[in-house]
Amino acid sequence: MTEAVPPTPTSDFVRDEIRVDIEAGTYGGRVQTRFPPEPNGHLHIGHAKAICVDFGIADDFDGRCNLRLDDTNPDVEEVEFVDSIQEDIAWLGYEPASVRFASDYFEQLYAWAERLVEQGKAYVDEQDGETISAQRGGYGKPGIESPYRDRPVDENLTELRRMRAGEYPDGSRVLRAKIDMQSENMQLRDPVMYRIRHSHHHRTGDTWFIYPTYDWAHGQSDAVEGVTHSLCTLEFRSNRPLYDWYLAHLPLEQTAPKQREFARLELTHTVTSKRRLRALVEDGIVDGWDDPRMPTLSGLRRRGYPPAAIREFCAYIGLTRTNSRHDIELLESFVRTHLNRTSQRRMAVLRPLEVVVDNWPSNDDGTPYVDHFDVVNNPENPDDGTRSVPFTGRLFIERDDFAEVPPPKFFRLSPGREVRLRGAYLVTCTDVEKNDAGEVTRVHVTMDPESRGGTAPDGRKVKSTMHWVSAEHAVDARVALYERLFSAPIPGERTGDAMDDLDPASVELLDAKVEPALADTAPGEVVQFERLGYFAHDPRTPMLFHRTVGLRDEWANIQKRAAR
Ligand code: ATP
Ligand code: MG
């Protein structure tokens, strides 16, 4: 499958600033970014935006982008997540210049912490977390200085070393930067740098009893790696002065990196928080992190989203400085456009109704005659060629495509009505069979032998063309149809809890009859079921298909409505 190159974004405030930095030689013309996920869950569509920003900007400026796993919290991190994060980034089409871990820098961070202590810029506080946070105050509420704030340097150093040596229990002490307890910015009110945790770490094992906080680790790791532009989401805006403060107090060999913030990606009907996604998995509401209803990259992959469509979407929404929520239909529109170009067309009947062609011929030996039609695989790409589809006197059509008593404007099959079976014959309904409950179980038709290929020589018109599958050749398949996992556009808006908007019926499993060529669909391949939508072959379970998106462009409708 060939993938389109994402449109090169013209510009945005981050790229503009980088151009200025290049011009001014701030970093000697270098551009380096990083993507810094915490390995405490699987990546989601929000992370895809950050990945496209971090890797995309590095690409645009011939720079480099590292993957840095922010593994500073040993209690929640797992190797499983480290692996899946790398898999997801590769799937999205990016390759880190280097894979790093914040824990690679634990020694350096510690050495720098001692240095701050020696300079009287950090101290060990023995108060408990509650007291410390109460003393921090708030907006318009003064901070209260800790009684440990003016400890002598020697004592601080001894205490810090004993913390590191594991001599103290969890929570009994922290190392704090000594900045300004009256700062307007709460982050600068003597932030915590180290906390004590007697926990096993997935990489450093049992060597550490203290772990750095996000703020103490992040900018310093950036500096060690040579990052020039450290891009993150808006909620870190108020951390920026602290980011700068730490770097300004360290003996760096090169110009300090700069943090810049952009808007988070939020989508309607979607939650993008690892904590909530984890709850869905742990509560058994979905069938794992890669359930096709999940907005995780592994879920979207299994659902059949092409990575190029995700990249194109991210490029289209671009980088902005205010948070907003995008319609999920916009993302789906990119997916649909991409799949329209690339996917093979197939016929599948999701809710089969049997059709008997009463005037279908038999072979001389009495077996039913089998006709074959060459059908175009992808009208968007002639190189995809054609395939041969068998047709016999016993077929399946979609139950919805038949009505014994047609409602107004129903032009599909009904008694006395002639329709086209796509690419095959014109048929007219002559009779129906029913069960004791009065349900139609079988439909009888006659075909016009002159209409082979789907048109009658007299050129008469029919109002409907329907897909079909030869019953004798049909292959069984399971098809999963999905609704939105969260029925409300803004999950949680109503009650404050997104879980209240969960749609328990967001998946419907059907036993379908599909054309034989579908048995050759590769794992993970996405095909178009004619008239129905795009469907992804499950990567693990043969003949299980997930509906990726329907055929109708709902985004176009939303725009039309908005224009009115
Ligand atoms: P979550 O709240 O889901 O746990 P997080 O921000 O804690 O997300 P991290 O693993 O720390 O997740 O994030 C790695 C990077 O991805 C960060 O730079 C973060 O800003 C970015 N990121 C996370 N969520 C989004 C989002 N919805 N849109 C854009 N970027 C995001
Ligand atoms: Mg986080």
Side-chain angles (χ1 to χ4, degrees):
M1 194 163 89
T2 56
E3 285 174 0
V5 181
T8 308
T10 45
S11 210
D12 52 62
F13 68 99
V14 174
R15 286 176 169 86
D16 287 347
E17 185 170 350
I18 290 176
R19 282 191 194 97
V20 170
D21 283 332
I22 292 174
E23 195 90 341
T26 316
Y27 299 100
R30 272 185 347 103
V31 174
Q32 184 170 331
T33 58
R34 83 288 165 268
F35 172 62
E38 190 179 353
N40 62 348
H42 291 259
L43 298 182
H44 53 62
I45 184 71
H47 292 112
K49 172 175 176 182
I51 292 170
C52 291
V53 168
D54 292 323
F55 286 91
I57 284 179
D59 284 351
D60 285 1
F61 294 99
D62 277 330
R64 49 187 281 144
C65 177
N66 290 349
L67 166 62
R68 183 192 319 135
L69 295 135
D70 178 15
D71 57 349
T72 49
N73 185 357
D75 297 334
V76 295
E77 290 152 8
E78 289 174 38
V79 179
E80 173 206 339
F81 299 132
V82 172
D83 295 340
S84 84
I85 286 169
Q86 298 194 59
E87 188 183 344
D88 289 347
I89 292 171
W91 174 71
L92 256 191
Y94 295 106
E95 191 189 341
S98 168
V99 178
R100 308 289 181 88
F101 292 83
S103 57
D104 295 340
Y105 314 129
F106 280 178
E107 276 302 341
Q108 175 68 79
L109 291 173
Y110 180 79
W112 277 340
E114 282 209 353
R115 193 189 148 92
L116 288 182
V117 169
E118 281 163 0
Q119 294 178 336
K121 302 246 181 280
Y123 61 97
V124 172
D125 196 334
E126 295 181 28
Q127 302 180 102
D128 59 47
E130 226 168 286
T131 309
I132 290 177
S133 88
Q135 288 175 350
R136 185 159 283 138
Y139 291 104
K141 221 174 121 200
I144 298 167
E145 296 190 352
S146 163
Y148 295 93
R149 197 170 197 261
D150 292 318
R151 265 186 147 154
V153 166
D154 283 355
E155 202 179 306
N156 279 321
L157 215 47
T158 311
E159 285 297 314
L160 177 58
R161 288 177 182 165
R162 295 182 69 179
M163 280 168 66
R164 174 180 179 162
E167 291 181 28
Y168 298 126
D170 287 8
S172 61
R173 278 163 182 74
V174 290
L175 181 72
R176 297 175 72 179
K178 190 170 169 180
I179 307 182
D180 178 4
M181 285 307 288
Q182 306 312 329
S183 174
E184 296 281 292
N185 182 324
M186 296 308 125
Q187 313 283 347
L188 295 179
R189 294 190 177 181
D190 291 9
V192 172
M193 297 169 64
Y194 277 102
R195 45 208 163 42
I196 301 174
R197 287 269 184 296
H198 289 254
S199 301
H200 185 83
H201 185 278
H202 74 111
R203 294 189 81 239
T204 58
D206 299 309
T207 48
W208 289 91
F209 300 99
I210 56 172
Y211 289 92
T213 53
Y214 171 87
D215 289 300
W216 174 238
H218 206 90
Q220 291 42 262
S221 303
D222 285 342
V224 174
E225 286 177 21
V227 167
T228 58
H229 298 82
S230 182
L231 310 172
C232 60
T233 37
L234 284 175
E235 68 272 23
F236 293 102
R237 181 68 188 81
S238 61
N239 300 52
R240 198 207 282 187
L242 177 56
Y243 182 99
D244 293 338
W245 189 92
Y246 282 136
L247 291 170
H249 288 85
L250 296 175
L252 302 182
E253 279 156 26
Q254 74 273 52
T255 312
K258 48 168 90 169
Q259 174 184 303
R260 291 295 178 266
E261 309 84 16
F262 60 88
R264 286 179 78 84
L265 168 61
E266 304 278 2
L267 289 171
T268 55
H269 300 284
T270 306
V271 305
T272 45
S273 138
K274 276 184 275 187
R275 187 173 52 82
R276 292 236 182 73
L277 297 178
R278 175 194 297 276
L280 294 173
V281 174
E282 285 174 357
D283 298 347
I285 290 161
V286 295
D287 169 26
W289 286 96
D290 70 346
D291 183 300
R293 291 167 295 173
M294 289 282 271
T296 50
L297 296 186
S298 52
L300 298 176
R301 173 160 71 234
R302 195 158 163 227
R303 177 89 176 240
Y305 276 41
I310 297 177
R311 294 198 303 268
E312 285 160 16
F313 167 76
C314 290
Y316 179 86
I317 60 172
L319 277 182
T320 55
R321 270 183 279 213
T322 42
N323 281 322
S324 65
R325 198 178 279 265
H326 294 273
D327 289 305
I328 181 107
E329 290 85 355
L330 174 61
L331 171 59
E332 290 174 341
S333 184
F334 277 92
V335 169
R336 190 178 294 107
T337 302
H338 192 92
L339 293 175
N340 179 47
R341 285 201 304 268
T342 56
S343 68
Q344 307 296 292
R345 273 56 171 175
R346 297 288 183 261
M347 290 198 283
V349 175
L350 303 192
R351 297 175 181 86
L353 173 65
E354 192 181 331
V355 173
V356 178
V357 185
D358 288 329
N359 60 339
W360 188 250
S362 295
N363 294 319
D364 292 343
D365 62 2
T367 55
Y369 171 68
V370 180
D371 201 353
H372 284 94
F373 293 98
D374 281 336
V375 181
V376 169
N377 281 324
N378 179 3
E380 301 292 322
N381 181 11
D383 291 346
D384 285 341
T386 61
R387 69 192 183 284
S388 171
V389 183
F391 185 101
T392 57
R394 212 164 60 81
L395 307 160
F396 293 115
I397 62 165
E398 229 37 86
R399 196 159 271 282
D400 289 354
D401 281 339
F402 176 81
E404 191 183 8
V405 182
K409 298 206 176 142
F410 183 94
F411 299 118
R412 290 165 280 166
L413 198 63
S414 58
R417 171 89 45 80
E418 184 172 55
V419 299
R420 175 182 299 109
L421 294 179
R422 173 159 166 34
Y425 291 98
L426 300 183
V427 298
T428 304
C429 177
T430 52
D431 200 6
V432 299
E433 292 178 40
K434 295 186 192 178
N435 62 16
D436 293 342
E439 297 156 346
V440 174
T441 53
R442 191 175 284 145
V443 171
H444 289 264
V445 299
T446 53
M447 60 101 183
D448 175 358
E450 301 286 291
S451 67
R452 188 173 186 281
T455 38
D458 64 3
R460 71 180 182 278
K461 299 251 184 306
V462 292
K463 282 205 167 143
S464 216
T465 298
M466 296 164 18
H467 61 278
W468 49 271
V469 171
S470 162
E472 193 186 316
H473 302 87
V475 178
D476 290 329
R478 294 276 277 167
V479 173
L481 302 182
Y482 299 105
E483 297 298 329
R484 312 261 179 237
L485 188 54
F486 293 91
S487 48
I490 304 179
E493 189 187 36
R494 215 166 28 94
T495 64
D497 183 358
M499 299 301 174
D500 291 337
D501 291 314
L502 270 174
D503 177 1
S506 50
V507 56
E508 184 183 4
L509 271 173
L510 300 171
D511 289 308
K513 297 283 187 187
V514 305
E515 67 164 275
L518 278 168
D520 299 327
T521 311
E525 186 182 345
V526 186
V527 293
Q528 185 193 97
F529 290 175
E530 296 214 20
R531 300 174 65 224
L532 298 173
Y534 296 96
F535 290 76
H537 195 199
D538 191 80
R540 299 185 291 269
T541 308
M543 298 316 284
L544 168 62
F545 290 86
H546 307 284
R547 182 166 63 192
T548 312
V549 284
L551 292 177
R552 197 158 10 108
D553 189 350
E554 286 152 352
W555 170 245
N557 292 339
I558 288 175
Q559 281 184 309
K560 257 183 247 151
R561 247 178 281 140
R564 238 179 262 148

